Amino acid sequence: GARGSTSDMALRRPPGSQGRTQAVPGRHFDDGRHLAAYADRIAVRCHRCGTAGWVLAQWQPYRWTARFRCAGCSLSLDSAEGTWVGQVRYSGRRPCGYCGHQCVSVCEQRASAAHAGLTHLSGTCRQCGRQSDVAVGMSRVRDGSPADPHFGLPLHLVESTRAGVVWAYNAAHVQALQAFAVSKLRERGGVHNASMISRLPTWMKLARHRALLQRALERLLQRLPE
């Protein structure tokens, strides 16, 4: 990805009679951009061989189309095939097969989908304590962990710090985080916990971690794959 300067990525208030249209030094304005705005090009590692590469995606009306080609092992992933290699959750519920109680439920999270196709899990009735087989469905886990949202591949741009883990999709994402990290005054324009910035972990928003976050982001920029 291109490596523009932090100032080039400064978020600006939308034009308006009461808003600023130019970046103000030392200030950051959250314009409401979602994390998905950076999801068209994501630096990842192949889950089979660990080679760094790129998931390339395009937003078409109401859905993403994405693909990944590994230069190391020739793995090919395409969103049209519904492929998911990341974490999954199996869950379901049914009445107890012994006492009829309505609350036999199961929920298990696994690193990846079962190859044979998991259809049932054993659940314990909270009423009588006996076990029943529960039919389960599978859902993809997107819990904010460092994985790409299209296939669940592990992200390449991940940096651990003493305060927490920093991750990003690409250079533009890193630079948007840098613009936030260097600012001493942070403003929001009617954004209610939906933007990428507003959903950052608390430790990243603390003034005492500003320098630590900046150093971590600089290291991420140095590790961008070709």
Side-chain angles (χ1 to χ4, degrees):
R3 302 192 183 188
S5 67
T6 302
S7 60
D8 291 336
M9 296 301 301
L11 300 178
R12 292 166 172 77
R13 187 189 298 272
S17 59
Q18 298 182 4
R20 290 187 302 273
T21 57
Q22 299 296 323
V24 177
R27 294 192 176 195
H28 179 274
F29 183 79
D30 184 356
D31 66 354
R33 189 174 307 180
H34 290 210
L35 180 61
Y38 306 97
D40 60 341
R41 182 174 168 84
I42 303 177
V44 298
R45 288 184 294 103
C46 176
H47 70 296
R48 290 203 316 200
C49 70
T51 300
W54 293 95
V55 169
L56 302 178
Q58 184 176 8
W59 174 254
Q60 298 179 345
Y62 312 113
R63 69 185 181 92
W64 285 95
T65 57
R67 60 186 175 86
F68 171 71
R69 305 287 184 270
C70 178
C73 67
S74 300
L75 172 71
S76 177
L77 301 178
D78 195 310
S79 61
E81 300 171 358
T83 306
W84 179 261
V85 300
Q87 294 186 73
V88 295
R89 182 179 295 109
Y90 292 98
S91 60
R93 59 179 300 164
R94 57 159 288 178
C96 177
Y98 299 94
C99 71
H101 186 63
Q102 296 295 313
C103 290
V104 180
S105 60
V106 294
C107 184
E108 287 190 13
Q109 190 163 310
R110 300 194 177 186
S112 61
H115 293 294
L118 186 62
T119 59
H120 289 76
L121 287 172
S122 181
T124 303
C125 176
R126 290 183 292 177
Q127 189 74 19
C128 70
R130 302 182 76 173
Q131 292 191 328
S132 300
D133 280 341
V134 180
V136 294
M138 186 191 77
S139 58
R140 300 175 178 184
V141 174
R142 294 183 174 94
D143 58 359
S145 58
D148 99 88
H150 304 294
F151 301 111
L153 288 163
L155 295 183
H156 178 67
L157 300 179
V158 182
E159 181 72 22
S160 294
T161 74
R162 59 180 172 77
V165 177
V166 183
W167 54 263
Y169 287 166
N170 50 42
H173 189 184
V174 174
Q175 291 162 352
L177 291 171
Q178 284 181 315
F180 173 81
V182 301
S183 61
K184 295 183 179 180
L185 180 62
R186 296 157 180 175
E187 306 173 66
R188 296 171 65 179
V191 179
H192 300 289
N193 202 35
S195 69
M196 181 272 290
I197 293 296
S198 68
R199 298 178 73 88
L200 291 175
T202 301
W203 72 265
M204 289 189 186
K205 302 176 182 180
L206 300 178
R208 68 174 180 268
H209 292 148
R210 187 178 295 125
L212 177 147
L213 179 57
Q214 290 178 50
R215 290 193 298 270
L217 293 169
E218 285 294 338
R219 289 193 291 271
L220 290 186
L221 279 180
Q222 294 169 8
R223 291 209 302 270
L224 283 167
E226 295 298 327

